[in-house]
Amino acid sequence: MSSDNQHVTTAQTKTREARMGEGVDDRFNSRLREVLGSMPFILTKFDKFMNWVRGSSMFVLQFGIACCSIEMIHTYAVKHDLDRFGSGIPRASPRQADLIIVPGTIVSKFAPRMKRVYDQMPEPKFVVGMGNCTAAGGPFQEGYNVVKGAEEVIPVDIHVPGCPPRPEALIYGVVKLQERVANGESSPVVVKPYELEEFSDLPRDEVVEKLADQIDEDDLVMRYNWRNSP
Amino acid sequence: MSLEESQRGVGVTEDGDLDYDELEDLLGEKVLAREEHLNAEGFVIRPDDVQDVLSTLKERAGFDHLSLLTAQEYLDRYESIYHMKKYDDPTQEVSVVVPTDKENPVSESAEPVFRTADWHEREAYDLVGIEYEDHPDLRRILLPETWQGHPLSLDYDQDKPQIVPLREHANPLQPDHKDAESDTMFLNVGPHHPATHGVLHLETVLDGEQVVDVDPDIGYLHRCEEQMCQNGTYRHQIMPYPDRWDYVSAGLLNEWSYARTAESLADIDVPEYAQVLRTLGAELCRIASHLLALGTFALDVYGDFNVIWQYAFRDREVVLNILEDLTGQRMMFNYFRLGGVVWDIPEPREEWFEKIRDFLDELPGKLAEYHDLVTGNEIYQIRCVDTGVLEPEVAKEYGVTGPAARASGIDYDLRRDDPYGYYDELDWDVVTDDGCDNFARVMVRFKEVEESAKIISQCVDLLEDWPEDERTIQANVPRTLKPEPDTEVYEAVEAAKGELGIYIRSDGTDKPARFKIRSPCFSNLQSLPEMAEGELLADLIAALGSIDIVLGEVDR
């Protein structure tokens, strides 16, 4: 550590001694301290600081749906290595995740589950929609069972188009999101026509009447109005 | 068994061809009529004779492989077609056609004869609406239980609203799931779980750490692939979809299944040069697919094998680069066309060949490294040897194909047994293993990577010496294909996971009237309970990883 001594000016040493007492080892001097000089603290807005922290290190939910998840794995793996940008550690539990990448087609059976997983993530949480299916249903848009985009169910911050997007494109999307989070700019688009609601809250119509003996009053359900879908 | 009684079996001529007249005699008056399909002849039977006919064909004539069940609705009737084959010789096929009336579409279930009919009939009920009598558990399989209507039936209204409940998955600690006497516990694995390789839900009942019962709940990725293909025109609009069934970079293998079926339907010959290109590309895909299977399996059985997963993806990147040079895409290639491929090898050709040669040169060293790390590893061996056992007889009951079947000692590979492409001109071997366990399944994939490398290297040699003026990449195919109305065909190829087949019925327009996909993963996954029940929970995960399913193909 003695070699570091030459970087430390007398003024800095004096300030440090005033603060911490004499004879404190030099190893307490960090690069950051050197940059800051004799200033023992940084002045910034708390929000700005928090945004910077959030954007610099994001935990991604380990969440695979379809084809795009294979390219997502390639993005995590060697060569592309998303971790270089501070967001490459997939967490298996939604309780530990800040970011959910939605990699694939969402179908009627899965949408309520995805909504539940999203709800389980702690605030603040961010969403990257990967691929055309999460934008509008992609090549399966006309399918009887396909939800026309992730935004029908959860709010999406960044859309990465492609079928599937290349790893480079996904990295661009995630880094763009990090940038926006760090600048405090992230404001997701909120469309969400499909919400989970209690069965008894649905308007009584033909379908509800038919299913009344199969579903309990307080069961959570998702009602798809395909006619109004884009 | 008649096959053992006489050398050729009932219904087989001395040349080894099928004699449908003899088969008809065998079934007697149960045959109401005969139908001509392009791949085989069909026997029309009454809906209450299904079990009789199928078991006669299975026991007496040796048709031990129920490959696929196609259900469809006509204007005047419903129809179930059982496509049967022999594991010994898949070119010997027969279809059993079961029409049922429109008002009361009830047909006898084939489940007591073939276990695999269980899921196939559930799917037919779910999507088309035919009911199967005697079926042990006839409920929806791909769509949510509360779905209204059958989407592939003729009068289905797609705009009708639907309600899907989010039933709280049963809480394992709730007392009502705990039987006081047996002390079992109910456990959900999935649909969002790292070890299920996608969105699969396993409803598991445990006794201590032992699996008592496991029921795969699928349909979380049912993307209406069959409907999409029925809405597309033969010539160009269908080819992009097969890429997305088995999306683990097995795209070209899947495209080949459609190409083969449609070429057989429209009677198109593919130039030899294009066949070599197809073979080369398909085997590259097989390597990429098997590498992913190996990497994720290592990750499943022992967490610290993360490094193997990273290695596998490193090597996959090399393969994907080569494929990208050829096709222009990393995953969704859309490279095949009916009658050939879309374009030739990228210029300069030598550079591309060099790239492949480099990869092939490094491959043996890399495989040795994998063997050191994986198959030679003691912990790995303890996890895999003698766990997830699938006996060959059981595998045949479930219609298991591909590496999973070959690891149970079933010598069945369509590339050799029902040759297509350029495979029969090349020198390579079908890999089998008698281990029947998780270890054998992984070993078979390792060895298949070596065999694929052999095929690729021969293809490269061939392509290098191919005369420049004979490089025809596409046959002459009409701009619009309109096959004769009511032509039916079922063809299959050996994809990365097994026998991937397609049934098409034409109706005289430029779009198929019925497009049915035979997914190998669908059948293979159905055998999971046989491998996992009675074993430890951790072995269930290993067994699931070793059959290497892709949910895009299971659910379609």
Side-chain angles (χ1 to χ4, degrees), chain B residues 214-455:
Chain B
V214 55
D215 182 20
D217 172 26
I218 61 175
Y220 291 97
L221 194 54
H222 174 53
R223 302 192 277 195
C224 330
E225 302 270 14
E226 286 170 11
Q227 182 202 21
M228 293 295 103
C229 292
Q230 279 164 215
N231 291 347
T233 54
Y234 290 107
R235 186 77 172 87
H236 290 299
Q237 292 181 354
I238 294 175
M239 196 58 92
Y241 285 99
D243 285 323
R244 288 157 181 86
W245 303 341
D246 174 359
Y247 46 71
V248 187
S249 302
L252 294 181
L253 296 157
N254 301 1
E255 283 174 25
W256 209 336
S257 70
Y258 173 62
R260 188 177 190 196
T261 314
E263 280 156 9
S264 155
L265 184 72
D267 197 17
I268 302 168
D269 284 324
V270 183
E272 276 201 359
Y273 183 69
Q275 293 285 29
V276 180
L277 277 177
R278 283 181 173 189
T279 311
L280 170 69
E283 290 309 309
L284 281 168
C285 284
R286 196 183 308 275
I287 290 185
S289 175
H290 281 357
L291 282 175
L292 185 124
L294 299 170
T296 51
F297 181 69
L299 199 61
D300 282 347
V301 294
Y302 181 51
D304 279 359
F305 283 158
N306 203 331
V307 60
I308 298 156
W309 174 79
Q310 296 274 13
Y311 282 169
F313 274 80
R314 176 200 64 188
D315 297 341
R316 260 176 65 90
E317 281 285 351
V318 182
V319 185
L320 292 192
N321 276 342
I322 296 173
L323 281 168
E324 191 185 355
D325 287 346
L326 178 66
T327 65
Q329 241 277 26
R330 281 166 58 89
M331 278 175 66
M332 304 305 170
F333 310 111
N334 193 16
Y335 177 63
F336 284 15
R337 291 290 180 275
L338 301 188
V341 294
V342 60
W343 49 59
D344 202 349
I345 297 167
E347 295 288 346
R349 294 162 68 94
E350 294 71 36
E351 215 170 273
W352 192 67
F353 292 139
E354 203 49 46
K355 225 172 171 175
I356 300 180
R357 288 239 165 79
D358 285 349
F359 169 68
L360 294 180
D361 288 344
E362 284 170 18
L363 194 62
K366 284 172 174 171
L367 286 174
E369 200 173 58
Y370 285 121
H371 279 297
D372 276 351
L373 274 165
V374 187
T375 49
N377 182 308
E378 206 175 318
I379 302 173
Y380 174 85
Q381 289 170 356
I382 293 170
R383 288 291 316 268
C384 295
V385 173
D386 279 338
T387 58
V389 176
L390 183 68
E391 296 296 339
E393 299 78 39
V394 181
K396 285 182 179 176
E397 274 294 299
Y398 281 93
V400 174
T401 49
R406 290 193 282 276
S408 291
I410 302 173
D411 194 6
Y412 182 76
D413 189 322
L414 292 177
R415 287 176 291 172
R416 179 202 58 197
D417 298 340
D418 184 10
Y420 57 97
Y422 214 70
Y423 288 111
D424 49 352
E425 310 279 327
L426 304 172
D427 175 32
W428 60 284
D429 297 310
V430 175
V431 180
T432 54
D433 195 316
D434 292 327
C436 306
D437 54 6
N438 293 334
F439 192 77
R441 284 189 278 276
V442 174
M443 280 308 273
V444 164
R445 282 200 192 91
F446 267 122
K447 288 181 189 152
E448 279 187 10
V449 169
E450 287 171 29
E451 292 301 323
S452 294
K454 252 160 82 180
I455 297 176

Side-chain angles (χ1 to χ4, degrees), chain A residues 28-224:
Chain A
F28 286 103
N29 281 324
S30 64
R31 294 282 300 169
L32 185 64
R33 169 99 41 230
E34 283 170 34
V35 173
L36 293 172
S38 58
M39 185 82 91
F41 50 81
I42 314 163
L43 258 185
T44 180
K45 289 180 191 147
F46 184 71
D47 283 357
K48 207 171 162 111
F49 175 71
M50 284 307 289
N51 286 339
W52 173 74
V53 170
R54 270 184 197 128
S56 305
S57 165
M58 300 191 106
F59 279 8
V60 191
L61 180 66
Q62 184 173 353
F63 186 68
I65 303 179
C67 335
C68 283
S69 49
I70 302 298
E71 283 296 63
M72 189 181 70
I73 298 171
H74 273 277
T75 316
Y76 290 136
V78 284
K79 184 169 175 186
H80 297 101
D81 192 11
L82 188 58
D83 206 13
R84 290 176 295 160
F85 304 96
S87 50
I89 306 181
R91 309 302 302 181
S93 163
R95 314 277 185 200
Q96 300 169 340
D98 311 306
L99 168 63
I100 176 174
I101 299 176
V102 185
T105 321
I106 304 147
V107 303
S108 67
K109 200 168 170 180
F110 192 64
R113 266 79 186 176
M114 185 178 77
K115 169 86 175 136
R116 171 51 58 95
V117 169
Y118 175 77
D119 288 345
Q120 285 170 338
M121 289 167 59
E123 297 275 358
K125 49 193 166 189
F126 305 96
V127 182
V128 170
M130 183 180 182
N132 291 347
C133 289
T134 63
F140 307 100
Q141 197 196 26
E142 286 160 24
Y144 49 82
N145 191 30
V146 175
V147 175
K148 281 52 171 175
E151 250 164 45
E152 306 263 305
V153 186
I154 59 176
V156 178
D157 296 82
I158 297 270
H159 283 291
V160 183
C163 191
R166 300 176 61 88
E168 292 89 333
L170 180 62
I171 291 178
Y172 181 77
V174 173
V175 170
K176 202 78 192 160
L177 175 72
Q178 289 179 296
E179 216 176 279
R180 293 185 56 167
V181 172
N183 293 338
E185 287 168 356
S186 187
S187 52
V189 192
V190 184
V191 187
K192 290 209 292 180
Y194 298 150
E195 290 275 11
L196 284 172
E197 45 197 332
E198 283 192 10
F199 186 63
S200 54
D201 290 345
L202 295 180
R204 308 292 289 187
D205 65 1
E206 199 190 337
V207 188
V208 175
E209 292 294 342
K210 245 186 189 162
L211 288 169
D213 55 338
Q214 288 182 46
I215 305 178
D216 289 342
E217 295 267 291
D218 53 354
D219 266 357
L220 286 175
V221 296
M222 195 170 269
R223 186 197 155 97
Y224 297 102

Side-chain angles (χ1 to χ4, degrees), chain B residues 18 87 140 166 203 349 428 473 486 511:
Chain B
L18 270 189
Y87 270 107
R140 286 189 183 272
L166 175 86
E203 294 167 0
R349 294 162 68 94
W428 60 284
I473 53 163
D486 264 327
K511 296 173 181 176

Side-chain angles (χ1 to χ4, degrees), chain B residues 525-536:
Chain B
L525 176 63
Q526 203 189 343
S527 69
L528 178 69
E530 296 286 346
M531 292 184 236
E533 279 170 21
E535 305 255 357
L536 298 180

Side-chain angles (χ1 to χ4, degrees), chain B residues 8 12-17:
Chain B
R8 12 181 210 102
V12 182
T13 61
E14 275 173 25
D15 313 331
D17 293 331

